[in-house]
Amino acid sequence: MTVNAERFLEDLHTLRSFGAAGVGKGVVRPAYSEADIAARRWLAGRMQEAGLRVQFDPVGNLFGLAEGPSLLMGSHSDSQPEGGWLDGALGVIAALEIARSSDRPVSVVSFQDEEGRFGVTTGSAIWSGHLPLAEADRLTDHAGVPFAAARAAMTDLAGGFVDPARFSGFVEMHIEQGPTLDTEGGQIGVVTDIVGIRDMVITFAGQQNHAGTTPMHLRRDAFQALAAFNAQINDRFRNVVTPRTVWTIGHVSLHPNASSIVPGRVSFSMQWRDGDTERLARMEEIIRQTAAEVAEARGMALSYGPMLGLEPVAMDGRLRMALEQGAESVAPGRWRTMPSGALHDATNVSRLMPVAMLFVPSIGGISHDFAEDTDEADLVAGLRVLDHAVAALGRV
Ligand code: HGY
Ligand code: MN
Ligand code: MN
Ligand code: MN
């Protein structure tokens, strides 16, 4: 089968136009935003033109379904609040091109809210049964918008959940979002495993007060509590973590966030990732222990939001082998196997069927930033590897 690289690149750039940020090639296309829904409507049209039966499920996951049993390929088309044009989009458009040009039955999916506006890879977590819909409906984003309200914007499109039994496996192409391939001059990464993750919101509540008249020793300053907590977990993690372990406080809301007011409350996102479930659990113990000690020492009230998480997952051997054969024929000497430090929908789908992933380089290792980009030659090389792999997999 012959993939059409020009059509593939053109569709990628058209998808980028939905929520184009006007900064580099960046996009602002969070789940359920106008740009996201418009992009999904456009994708549905392209799937229809490709001869696929379009089905949106109740949470906005968009499927283009081939007749009968098929291989599922795809990713997500929602973005981070400041997103790159390829994160997720690449996998969806590559899947569409393969489905269009393949003589094998290939279905296409764009999962919803992989970027976790409401949680962690929400759409595929719900589809795969990891997150009950009723529980998801109670989640809110950082602005307090409930998931149920956000997904109501797509009610007119919503159909039923697609039965996963029709798919023989799932293959997701994605940008690496890290520095490995770019630094080594590699063109293709065949993924071995995807890290696990834990994510929760922690709140310290102390005493709001006047920044001029409140002596330091009488303060119950929420920012100081966060600062102490952060310093202590960095210290205590030292003998627990490996170079692959990461942890991030990415979202902080300080109340009332005014320069002349001692902050009375802070809520912050605490996220950590590792390839080992034990280590994730050990880090959780340290986080909870440290938060309790800081709260006690500073007279703060401590509370936690729901903890969301996914376990580490290994890729399927047979699908991985097909990708490795494809990589060897398309990019001999310029491919490698590697773990994924980023999360992907493939983690959730792995509960339902065999999964595998393919990476192409991120220039400068940059992602989750408007500057995210990949050389066109590498994008096309990744498409060709998928082309080979699907042919190698034969009839599903
Ligand atoms: O955070 C992640 O790893 C994914 O890009 N949402
Ligand atoms: Mn992604
Ligand atoms: Mn992402
Ligand atoms: Mn993904």
Side-chain angles (χ1 to χ4, degrees):
M1 59 177 176
T2 42
V3 287
N4 181 330
E6 290 67 39
R7 180 174 58 184
F8 158 70
L9 292 170
E10 207 181 296
D11 276 352
L12 261 184
H13 284 287
T14 304
L15 181 48
R16 176 168 64 85
S17 70
F18 294 94
V23 180
K25 295 178 180 163
V27 294
V28 178
R29 201 169 57 225
Y32 305 106
S33 60
E34 246 175 71
D36 170 59
I37 296 173
R40 288 176 190 274
R41 287 180 185 278
W42 172 78
L43 280 168
R46 293 302 270 170
M47 290 173 176
Q48 220 133 29
E49 288 161 22
L52 300 169
R53 182 171 65 78
V54 165
Q55 183 167 337
F56 284 92
D57 75 10
V59 296
N61 293 317
L62 166 59
F63 288 83
L65 300 170
E67 228 13 68
S70 64
L71 177 70
L72 181 64
M73 300 178 81
S75 190
H76 60 94
S77 53
D78 61 292
S79 84
Q80 282 285 331
E82 291 196 3
W85 72 295
L86 292 167
D87 180 351
L90 173 62
V92 175
I93 298 297
L96 180 62
E97 181 52 37
I98 299 289
R100 271 188 295 226
S101 45
S102 164
D103 51 10
R104 318 267 186 231
V106 169
S107 294
V108 179
V109 62
S110 170
F111 286 112
Q112 181 55 291
D113 197 27
E114 189 279 345
E115 297 293 6
R117 174 184 165 192
F118 291 93
V120 169
T121 59
T122 321
S124 54
I126 294 167
W127 183 62
S128 64
H130 179 62
L131 177 61
L133 182 54
E135 199 179 309
D137 274 343
R138 289 194 293 273
L139 295 172
T140 61
D141 67 5
H142 286 305
V145 175
F147 180 71
R151 73 182 177 91
M154 297 187 74
T155 311
D156 59 315
L157 293 165
F161 283 107
V162 168
D163 179 358
R166 65 185 298 141
F167 306 124
S168 60
F170 176 66
V171 177
E172 178 174 5
M173 174 151 93
H174 206 285
I175 47 171
E176 178 200 335
Q177 301 183 288
T180 306
L181 292 173
D182 186 56
T183 320
E184 296 173 354
Q187 195 169 41
I188 299 289
V190 177
V191 176
T192 52
D193 60 287
I194 303 175
V195 286
I197 188 172
R198 299 289 182 272
D199 194 301
M200 63 181 172
V201 172
I202 301 176
T203 298
F204 286 123
Q207 169 79 49
Q208 179 172 326
N209 215 327
H210 194 296
T213 58
T214 313
M216 294 309 279
H217 71 285
L218 294 181
R219 292 184 178 196
R220 288 188 288 130
D221 179 332
F223 177 81
Q224 294 292 342
L226 170 54
F229 167 80
N230 183 55
Q232 283 180 37
I233 59 166
N234 285 343
D235 197 32
R236 294 178 178 181
F237 280 169
R238 225 184 289 283
N239 48 20
V240 170
V241 299
T242 73
R244 267 193 72 190
T245 315
V246 290
W247 57 98
T248 313
I249 296 178
H251 183 273
V252 177
S253 65
L254 201 56
H255 183 83
N257 217 21
S259 54
S260 292
I261 303 180
V262 176
R265 188 177 68 247
V266 65
S267 287
F268 58 96
S269 60
M270 183 74 233
Q271 183 190 99
W272 60 108
R273 307 186 193 199
D274 192 80
D276 179 320
T277 300
E278 298 289 301
R279 186 170 293 112
L280 289 170
R282 181 77 194 92
M283 292 172 77
E284 180 184 352
E285 280 166 25
I286 292 173
I287 287 164
R288 291 183 186 276
Q289 174 67 32
T290 306
E293 285 172 14
V294 167
E296 168 79 20
R298 293 169 176 271
M300 313 295 284
L302 166 64
S303 57
Y304 295 98
M307 186 168 83
L308 300 169
L310 291 175
E311 299 317 315
V313 63
M315 299 293 98
D316 171 72
R318 177 175 165 264
L319 293 178
R320 205 183 111 177
M321 181 66 75
L323 291 174
E324 290 179 11
Q325 285 168 356
E328 186 51 30
S329 55
V330 172
R334 295 192 63 201
W335 71 276
R336 56 165 290 166
T337 58
M338 59 192 290
S340 174
L343 271 188
H344 296 288
D345 295 304
T347 295
N348 289 314
V349 181
S350 72
R351 277 185 211 92
L352 304 169
M353 63 192 80
V355 305
M357 286 197 74
L358 187 74
F359 281 165
V360 291
S362 293
I363 297 172
I366 303 289
S367 182
H368 284 190
D369 184 288
F370 289 148
E372 174 190 287
D373 205 355
T374 299
D375 289 337
E376 241 179 42
D378 295 343
L379 296 174
V380 174
L383 179 71
R384 296 200 190 289
V385 172
L386 288 185
D387 182 355
H388 277 262
V390 170
L393 286 170
R395 284 216 80 71
V396 281

